[in-house]
Amino acid sequence: MNVRVLVVEDERDLADLIAEALKKEMFTVDVCYDGEEGMYMALNEPFDVVILDIMLPVHDGWEILKSMRESGVNTPVLMLTALSDVEYRVKGLNMGADDYLPKPFDLRELIARVRALIRRKSESKSTKLVCGDLILDTATKKAYRGSKEIDLTKKEYQILEYLVMNKNRVVTKEELQEHLWSFDDEVFSDVLRSHIKNLRKKVDKGFKKKIIHTVRGIGYVARDE
């Protein structure tokens, strides 16, 4: 699945190291270096996992976690801290954290824990997404229209997967950009339009029934109706 991760860590070198490691795993990553921005992002942006340090300026990790859960944001949270006392681990878990990793840690373990949280979140879901006669295999990242395999770039697949996951619902251009590109990426509207144009050629060309539709002035929708 397309995975977007938020890293909230005030040690800039460590935050950037974590971000680079996650990006190598093909995740989309946003980084915040203080609790104020971290609080805003965690409450207002769609993430699949939040990696949250406890000792942060402005708002600490406890405050951010508490606000997330009180606001109904159930995104899995992996807490990081130099505080290794069992009391702190218990406090975080009782407040709604999903996992806990004391510093210092091995980046391989952090990635494994992030993957475990993602699996836990989606383990009850099928690896197949279906929209009409279009089938996406989220395990292999392959797409099929009928019996024909469709050759897609990584970004084309990500866009198509997100549309099919939200089939019959109009997805705005802003939502697509927020979920599939990090805040550091410069995404111009013509870039998204170009991807959609290519997707239409690959997915709909030659088929009487079209899957991908444009809702003028709003965004796009994958329809199986």
Side-chain angles (χ1 to χ4, degrees), residues 11-22:
E11 295 180 46
R12 286 179 174 264
D13 289 344
L14 177 59
D16 293 343
L17 196 63
I18 292 171
E20 286 305 311
L22 292 170

PDB file of all heavy atoms in Angstrom, residues 11-22:
ATOM      1  N   GLU A  11      15.592  16.580  17.117  1.00  0.00           N
ATOM      2  CA  GLU A  11      17.002  16.386  16.775  1.00  0.00           C
ATOM      3  C   GLU A  11      17.082  16.266  15.250  1.00  0.00           C
ATOM      4  O   GLU A  11      16.797  15.219  14.679  1.00  0.00           O
ATOM      5  CB  GLU A  11      17.555  15.127  17.443  1.00  0.00           C
ATOM      6  CG  GLU A  11      17.589  15.191  18.968  1.00  0.00           C
ATOM      7  CD  GLU A  11      18.149  13.904  19.552  1.00  0.00           C
ATOM      8  OE1 GLU A  11      19.195  13.424  19.048  1.00  0.00           O
ATOM      9  OE2 GLU A  11      17.538  13.377  20.495  1.00  0.00           O
ATOM     10  N   ARG A  12      17.459  17.348  14.620  1.00  0.00           N
ATOM     11  CA  ARG A  12      17.370  17.427  13.158  1.00  0.00           C
ATOM     12  C   ARG A  12      18.162  16.327  12.451  1.00  0.00           C
ATOM     13  O   ARG A  12      17.692  15.736  11.475  1.00  0.00           O
ATOM     14  CB  ARG A  12      17.837  18.794  12.662  1.00  0.00           C
ATOM     15  CG  ARG A  12      16.818  19.893  12.942  1.00  0.00           C
ATOM     16  CD  ARG A  12      17.297  21.250  12.474  1.00  0.00           C
ATOM     17  NE  ARG A  12      16.227  22.242  12.636  1.00  0.00           N
ATOM     18  CZ  ARG A  12      15.387  22.606  11.680  1.00  0.00           C
ATOM     19  NH1 ARG A  12      15.507  22.078  10.468  1.00  0.00           N
ATOM     20  NH2 ARG A  12      14.435  23.501  11.909  1.00  0.00           N
ATOM     21  N   ASP A  13      19.372  16.061  12.917  1.00  0.00           N
ATOM     22  CA  ASP A  13      20.182  15.029  12.260  1.00  0.00           C
ATOM     23  C   ASP A  13      19.494  13.670  12.340  1.00  0.00           C
ATOM     24  O   ASP A  13      19.456  12.913  11.365  1.00  0.00           O
ATOM     25  CB  ASP A  13      21.572  14.947  12.895  1.00  0.00           C
ATOM     26  CG  ASP A  13      22.425  16.158  12.562  1.00  0.00           C
ATOM     27  OD1 ASP A  13      22.070  16.893  11.619  1.00  0.00           O
ATOM     28  OD2 ASP A  13      23.447  16.379  13.243  1.00  0.00           O
ATOM     29  N   LEU A  14      18.944  13.359  13.514  1.00  0.00           N
ATOM     30  CA  LEU A  14      18.253  12.090  13.686  1.00  0.00           C
ATOM     31  C   LEU A  14      16.982  12.042  12.847  1.00  0.00           C
ATOM     32  O   LEU A  14      16.686  11.038  12.186  1.00  0.00           O
ATOM     33  CB  LEU A  14      17.912  11.859  15.158  1.00  0.00           C
ATOM     34  CG  LEU A  14      17.113  10.590  15.477  1.00  0.00           C
ATOM     35  CD1 LEU A  14      17.868   9.349  15.011  1.00  0.00           C
ATOM     36  CD2 LEU A  14      16.808  10.512  16.971  1.00  0.00           C
ATOM     37  N   ALA A  15      16.218  13.145  12.847  1.00  0.00           N
ATOM     38  CA  ALA A  15      14.977  13.204  12.064  1.00  0.00           C
ATOM     39  C   ALA A  15      15.264  12.975  10.582  1.00  0.00           C
ATOM     40  O   ALA A  15      14.564  12.218   9.899  1.00  0.00           O
ATOM     41  CB  ALA A  15      14.287  14.547  12.275  1.00  0.00           C
ATOM     42  N   ASP A  16      16.305  13.635  10.074  1.00  0.00           N
ATOM     43  CA  ASP A  16      16.643  13.501   8.658  1.00  0.00           C
ATOM     44  C   ASP A  16      17.149  12.096   8.339  1.00  0.00           C
ATOM     45  O   ASP A  16      16.886  11.558   7.258  1.00  0.00           O
ATOM     46  CB  ASP A  16      17.705  14.538   8.274  1.00  0.00           C
ATOM     47  CG  ASP A  16      17.169  15.962   8.355  1.00  0.00           C
ATOM     48  OD1 ASP A  16      15.936  16.129   8.385  1.00  0.00           O
ATOM     49  OD2 ASP A  16      17.989  16.903   8.405  1.00  0.00           O
ATOM     50  N   LEU A  17      17.863  11.498   9.299  1.00  0.00           N
ATOM     51  CA  LEU A  17      18.360  10.126   9.120  1.00  0.00           C
ATOM     52  C   LEU A  17      17.190   9.148   9.028  1.00  0.00           C
ATOM     53  O   LEU A  17      17.163   8.261   8.164  1.00  0.00           O
ATOM     54  CB  LEU A  17      19.268   9.757  10.291  1.00  0.00           C
ATOM     55  CG  LEU A  17      20.174   8.533  10.113  1.00  0.00           C
ATOM     56  CD1 LEU A  17      21.176   8.756   8.987  1.00  0.00           C
ATOM     57  CD2 LEU A  17      20.906   8.245  11.431  1.00  0.00           C
ATOM     58  N   ILE A  18      16.217   9.325   9.915  1.00  0.00           N
ATOM     59  CA  ILE A  18      15.020   8.474   9.897  1.00  0.00           C
ATOM     60  C   ILE A  18      14.268   8.650   8.578  1.00  0.00           C
ATOM     61  O   ILE A  18      13.845   7.673   7.949  1.00  0.00           O
ATOM     62  CB  ILE A  18      14.096   8.820  11.079  1.00  0.00           C
ATOM     63  CG1 ILE A  18      14.750   8.422  12.403  1.00  0.00           C
ATOM     64  CG2 ILE A  18      12.740   8.123  10.939  1.00  0.00           C
ATOM     65  CD1 ILE A  18      14.011   8.929  13.630  1.00  0.00           C
ATOM     66  N   ALA A  19      14.111   9.904   8.161  1.00  0.00           N
ATOM     67  CA  ALA A  19      13.379  10.189   6.920  1.00  0.00           C
ATOM     68  C   ALA A  19      14.040   9.528   5.722  1.00  0.00           C
ATOM     69  O   ALA A  19      13.361   8.925   4.872  1.00  0.00           O
ATOM     70  CB  ALA A  19      13.273  11.696   6.713  1.00  0.00           C
ATOM     71  N   GLU A  20      15.356   9.629   5.628  1.00  0.00           N
ATOM     72  CA  GLU A  20      16.067   9.034   4.495  1.00  0.00           C
ATOM     73  C   GLU A  20      15.923   7.518   4.490  1.00  0.00           C
ATOM     74  O   GLU A  20      15.743   6.897   3.430  1.00  0.00           O
ATOM     75  CB  GLU A  20      17.552   9.415   4.540  1.00  0.00           C
ATOM     76  CG  GLU A  20      17.832  10.850   4.139  1.00  0.00           C
ATOM     77  CD  GLU A  20      17.268  11.178   2.764  1.00  0.00           C
ATOM     78  OE1 GLU A  20      17.504  10.407   1.814  1.00  0.00           O
ATOM     79  OE2 GLU A  20      16.564  12.195   2.647  1.00  0.00           O
ATOM     80  N   ALA A  21      15.979   6.909   5.677  1.00  0.00           N
ATOM     81  CA  ALA A  21      15.830   5.450   5.768  1.00  0.00           C
ATOM     82  C   ALA A  21      14.436   5.017   5.323  1.00  0.00           C
ATOM     83  O   ALA A  21      14.274   4.015   4.617  1.00  0.00           O
ATOM     84  CB  ALA A  21      16.092   4.987   7.202  1.00  0.00           C
ATOM     85  N   LEU A  22      13.425   5.774   5.710  1.00  0.00           N
ATOM     86  CA  LEU A  22      12.051   5.446   5.326  1.00  0.00           C
ATOM     87  C   LEU A  22      11.817   5.648   3.832  1.00  0.00           C
ATOM     88  O   LEU A  22      11.112   4.877   3.187  1.00  0.00           O
ATOM     89  CB  LEU A  22      11.065   6.290   6.132  1.00  0.00           C
ATOM     90  CG  LEU A  22      10.989   5.982   7.630  1.00  0.00           C
ATOM     91  CD1 LEU A  22      10.168   7.045   8.348  1.00  0.00           C
ATOM     92  CD2 LEU A  22      10.389   4.598   7.869  1.00  0.00           C
TER      93      LEU A  22
END
